[in-house]
């Protein structure tokens, strides 16, 4: 279990873990059980920063710094996925075009606009929440956002056919991973925000299901980029809906 948790941290963050640690795609698939917990740890890091800066800087600047800290801690992995998916789905006509564009590391107009829009929404909503003293969402949003990747990994096929011999990460996600991640996400949602946390969890579930359906229709499944994009969009939606539910 400890190895699995360390694998999840290594996959989702840029934590300085020992170089001798090596993980396979099967290890990462089984480690998805811990995705909500790793998300909560990232949120806890941001929350500690928020308390450090609370009496020194305005909420909007703090929100930018918190989101920047999470992006730095994750290597902007999911933001890159959002940009790639926006470019691929926006500019690709056929399945092959979409997958080819998503693999291109150059950010196009669709990707740039998606990043500007989503980050802008996150900053505006989070700043308003911080101004109202609603700190718990800082922990919950990264946790629930990463939970969405787990059930999708278990039920939706991988879109790319040119995977390595070990298969795709989601080929190794099963009922154990979904159950463990769901129990963790549920405990965090209820423990941190009560009924409002359950409502935010339901929002993440709905967005994730709709995005997965779109991906299946467009490219026959999901990829790492679409999973990362879903995480970022779900986090933005959590901030907005949490603000609305106040």
């Amino acid at each position: 279990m400890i190895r699995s948790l360390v694998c999840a941290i290594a996959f989702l963050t840029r934590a300085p873990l020992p170089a001798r640690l090596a993980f396979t795609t099967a290890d990462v698939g089984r480690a998805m059980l811990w995705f909500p917990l790793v998300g909560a740890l990232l949120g806890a890091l941001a929350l500690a920063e928020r308390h450090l800066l609370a009496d020194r800087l305005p909420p909007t600047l703090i929100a930018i710094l918190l989101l920047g800290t999470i992006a730095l801690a994750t290597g902007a992995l999911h933001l890159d996925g959002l940009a790639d998916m926006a470019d691929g789905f926006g500019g690709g006509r056929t399945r092959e075009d979409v997958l080819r564009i998503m693999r291109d590391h150059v950010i196009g107009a669709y990707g740039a606009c998606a990043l500007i829009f989503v980050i802008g929404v996150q900053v505006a909503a989070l700043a308003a929440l911080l101004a109202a003293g609603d700190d718990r969402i800082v922990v919950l949003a990264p946790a629930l956002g990463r939970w969405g990747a787990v059930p999708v990994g278990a039920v939706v096929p991988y879109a790319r056919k040119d995977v390595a011999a070990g298969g795709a990460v989601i080929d190794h996600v099963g009922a154990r991973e979904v159950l463990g991640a769901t129990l963790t996400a549920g405990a965090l949602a209820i423990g941190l925000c009560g009924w409002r946390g359950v409502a935010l969890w339901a929002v993440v579930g709905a967005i994730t299901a709709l995005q997965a359906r779109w991906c299946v229709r467009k490219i026959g499944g999901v990829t790492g980029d679409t999973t990362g994009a879903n995480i970022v969009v779900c986090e933005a939606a959590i901030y907005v809906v949490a603000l609305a539910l106040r």
Side-chain angles (χ1 to χ4, degrees):
M1 296 293 283
I2 297 299
R3 174 180 170 81
S4 183
L5 175 58
V6 172
C7 179
I9 293 172
F11 184 74
L12 291 176
T13 75
R14 293 297 179 265
L17 298 174
R20 67 177 182 275
L21 294 175
F23 302 104
T24 65
T25 54
D27 291 328
V28 177
R30 290 189 288 267
M32 289 181 76
L33 177 152
W34 299 106
F35 274 24
L37 179 59
V38 175
L41 293 175
L42 289 168
L45 174 64
L47 183 62
E49 182 182 4
R50 185 269 192 280
H51 285 300
L52 182 65
L53 301 175
D55 298 327
R56 297 171 174 83
L57 298 173
T60 300
L61 182 54
I62 293 176
I64 294 172
L65 293 175
L66 298 190
L67 294 171
T69 295
I70 293 178
L72 181 64
T74 59
L77 178 66
H78 310 312
L79 291 170
D80 179 70
L82 173 65
D84 287 342
M85 181 179 174
D87 280 333
F89 279 56
R93 293 182 177 274
T94 66
R95 174 182 177 276
E96 290 71 24
D97 283 342
V98 175
L99 293 173
R100 174 182 54 79
I101 293 171
M102 284 200 295
R103 184 162 276 173
D104 190 343
H105 295 297
V106 177
I107 296 180
Y110 286 107
C113 289
L115 287 174
I116 292 170
F117 176 77
V118 174
I119 292 174
V121 168
Q122 286 185 332
V123 169
L126 181 56
L129 288 167
L130 295 179
D134 201 344
D135 291 341
R136 292 166 293 180
I137 301 300
V138 174
V139 178
L140 188 59
L144 291 184
R146 283 154 185 79
W147 165 80
V150 188
V152 168
V155 301
V156 181
Y158 189 64
R160 297 189 186 277
K161 307 305 179 186
D162 54 340
V163 294
V169 168
I170 63 175
D171 292 337
H172 305 282
V173 182
R176 170 182 170 274
E177 289 71 38
V178 174
L179 178 61
T182 300
L183 289 175
T184 302
L188 288 167
I190 296 170
L192 289 171
C193 296
W195 70 268
R196 191 164 61 129
V198 175
L200 297 173
W201 191 15
V203 169
V204 171
I207 292 174
T208 300
L210 289 172
Q211 195 241 28
R213 185 170 182 269
W214 186 24
C215 290
V216 170
R217 294 181 63 182
K218 188 82 172 180
I219 57 175
V222 295
T223 69
D225 287 330
T226 65
T227 299
N230 185 70
I231 289 172
V232 176
V233 170
C234 284
E235 287 176 342
I238 288 170
Y239 295 137
V240 171
V241 175
L243 186 60
L245 290 178
R246 287 190 59 83

